[in-house]
Amino acid sequence: MSVTKQQKCLWMLLLFFLCLPLWAQERFVGLVDIKDVDPSIQVELMYASEDNFVGENMYGDISQAYMLPHFAQKLKRAQTRLKSDWGEEYSLLICDAARPLSVQRRMYNAVKGTPNQIYVASPNNGGGRHNYGAAVDVTIVNTATGERVDMGSEVDHFGIRSHTDNEKGLLQKGLISKEAYNNRRYLTNLLNSEGLRNIRREWWHFEERMSIKEVRTKYRLIE
């Protein structure tokens, strides 16, 4: 039986999609999918869609939130406490986790030379914590309604309302609501209790309590 050119193309496409998960596993070797650790944690990766500051899907078909195994355990414990405090309908929502350095370069190039450059880690000298699976961008969602709780700004917002170094000042100026202030304080305290820390310009970003030099020495860079 002869095989047509169209049939050959279809077989090549099929092989490509079958190999894609293996490619992802190789790229994220040593990391875990948070859904394999706690299936109740919600995942909606902003860079796996066009709904982000770049306006492009930079992850392709990769929609899993990968991270270091012990990091995932911390989020699992935080999820258990959140549900105990707020109710079973609430969940952590992971908006980004392990990020390839190639994506970091695209993100940085999109803001390089603009005022927004301060919000994106440079890919030079080994990249940032996301590039090692040692950071997550996270908020809280009501799974019954699908609505994210009020945090004063959207995840990935570039501006003063995202900053965490003077949240009382933001509240006093009316830039965030009392509800948003309380929700942010809860999320920060929740993840702080698991040994993670927040950063000054992004209420949603939490990372390991170690220097970037130590991260680069201890963990594997995701190319």
Side-chain angles (χ1 to χ4, degrees):
M1 180 188 302
S2 62
V3 179
T4 66
K5 185 176 181 180
Q6 184 179 19
Q7 288 173 321
K8 287 181 179 179
C9 290
L10 288 173
W11 275 110
M12 289 176 67
L13 283 172
L14 179 60
L15 286 172
F16 171 79
F17 286 112
L18 287 173
C19 292
L20 189 60
L22 296 177
W23 167 85
Q25 291 174 20
E26 181 178 346
R27 171 168 276 191
F28 297 108
V29 65
L31 306 181
V32 296
D33 179 351
I34 190 61
K35 284 288 191 179
D36 290 335
V37 177
D38 188 335
S40 74
I41 294 178
Q42 303 298 297
V43 175
E44 192 175 317
L45 300 183
M46 54 191 167
Y47 301 120
S49 74
E50 296 179 358
D51 187 15
N52 54 65
F53 76 90
V54 182
E56 300 175 8
N57 178 349
M58 291 179 282
Y59 284 173
D61 292 326
I62 303 300
S63 59
Q64 297 87 356
Y66 292 100
M67 62 195 69
L68 293 163
H70 68 276
F71 200 107
Q73 290 297 327
K74 293 178 180 181
L75 293 182
K76 179 179 181 178
R77 292 192 295 269
Q79 174 83 337
T80 299
R81 181 176 158 193
L82 170 63
K83 288 183 173 296
S84 176
D85 290 344
W86 284 25
E88 284 297 320
E89 68 271 29
Y90 287 94
S91 172
L92 295 176
L93 173 63
I94 307 300
C95 300
D96 198 32
R99 181 189 305 156
L101 189 64
S102 58
V103 173
Q104 192 72 31
R105 291 193 185 98
R106 292 174 63 186
M107 292 169 58
Y108 188 74
N109 288 337
V111 297
K112 187 176 180 180
T114 75
N116 290 335
Q117 182 176 324
I118 61 173
Y119 294 101
V120 180
S122 171
N124 300 326
N125 303 317
R129 290 170 175 81
H130 275 290
N131 307 131
Y132 296 82
V136 292
D137 295 335
V138 60
T139 186
I140 299 173
V141 65
N142 184 324
T143 59
T145 64
E147 294 182 359
R148 302 182 185 190
V149 304
D150 183 7
M151 292 290 189
S153 81
E154 296 295 324
V155 174
D156 221 19
H157 172 75
F158 292 164
I160 190 67
R161 290 187 296 119
S162 296
H163 293 199
T164 63
D165 51 353
N166 186 20
E167 290 177 315
K168 285 187 177 179
L170 296 178
L171 176 60
Q172 292 167 355
K173 293 176 182 178
L175 295 176
I176 64 174
S177 67
K178 181 66 174 178
E179 180 183 6
Y181 174 82
N182 289 337
N183 289 341
R184 281 161 68 154
R185 296 316 307 153
Y186 176 84
L187 180 63
T188 298
N189 291 333
L190 176 68
L191 295 179
N192 281 174
S193 69
E194 293 300 333
L196 303 180
R197 67 183 177 194
N198 189 229
I199 61 174
R200 186 167 66 87
R201 296 190 179 100
E202 300 176 359
W203 59 259
W204 56 84
H205 176 103
F206 291 86
E207 62 187 30
E208 290 280 24
R209 291 181 177 272
M210 60 175 63
S211 69
I212 187 60
K213 181 178 180 180
E214 187 177 357
V215 169
R216 291 169 179 165
T217 300
K218 192 172 183 179
Y219 304 122
R220 174 181 174 274
L221 176 65
I222 307 160
E223 298 285 352

